[in-house]
Amino acid sequence: MIDIENGSGNVYADLGKADATEMQVKATLAGKIGEIIKHRHLTQIQAAEILGMPQPKLSGMLRGQFRGISEAKMLECLNRLGRDVEIVVHKPSRTRASGTTSVVFA
């Protein structure tokens, strides 16, 4: 019989990565950027031009290789693709000592 373990919702945390939260945020942002590119029927060359980055770097980002790309750059990419980005900071719940970071798309 195979043991099955429920994940935490963050694969990077489940793998024990130190920067798990940051990587999860970047993965979510990269996924949304990819969705928008696909929805607009853009080639990677066209999208790279709009985003102001080399096509190979865009290709890597869309394949999950985003360690060299900042969250700020990914937010800029969303702006360049015509999306508004809103950052909301609020108090954490009383049960936690530190806050969390998440990405929500409306």
Side-chain angles (χ1 to χ4, degrees):
M1 187 167 186
I2 299 173
D3 289 332
I4 298 175
E5 185 176 325
N6 287 330
S8 68
N10 181 335
V11 68
Y12 302 102
D14 295 342
L15 293 172
K17 301 293 184 183
D19 56 353
T21 300
E22 178 184 357
M23 295 302 289
Q24 181 66 34
V25 168
K26 285 183 174 185
T28 304
L29 293 171
K32 189 61 172 181
I33 291 166
E35 284 178 25
I36 295 165
I37 290 168
K38 184 176 181 179
H39 182 269
R40 289 179 56 180
H41 305 288
L42 297 171
T43 66
Q44 282 192 8
I45 293 171
Q46 292 168 324
E49 187 173 309
I50 291 168
L51 301 179
M53 70 171 50
Q55 182 275 327
K57 191 166 189 171
L58 172 61
S59 178
M61 180 180 72
L62 297 177
R63 288 183 287 116
Q65 299 170 349
F66 36 72
R67 284 201 184 270
I69 302 172
S70 69
E71 290 175 32
K73 177 62 178 173
M74 295 174 111
L75 296 175
E76 179 188 324
C77 288
L78 288 167
N79 290 151
R80 287 176 174 234
L81 289 168
R83 298 302 191 267
D84 293 331
V85 175
E86 182 177 325
I87 298 173
V88 179
V89 179
H90 57 86
K91 293 180 181 178
S93 77
R94 294 179 187 208
T95 60
R96 292 191 321 255
S98 63
T100 61
T101 301
S102 61
V103 178
V104 179
F105 293 100

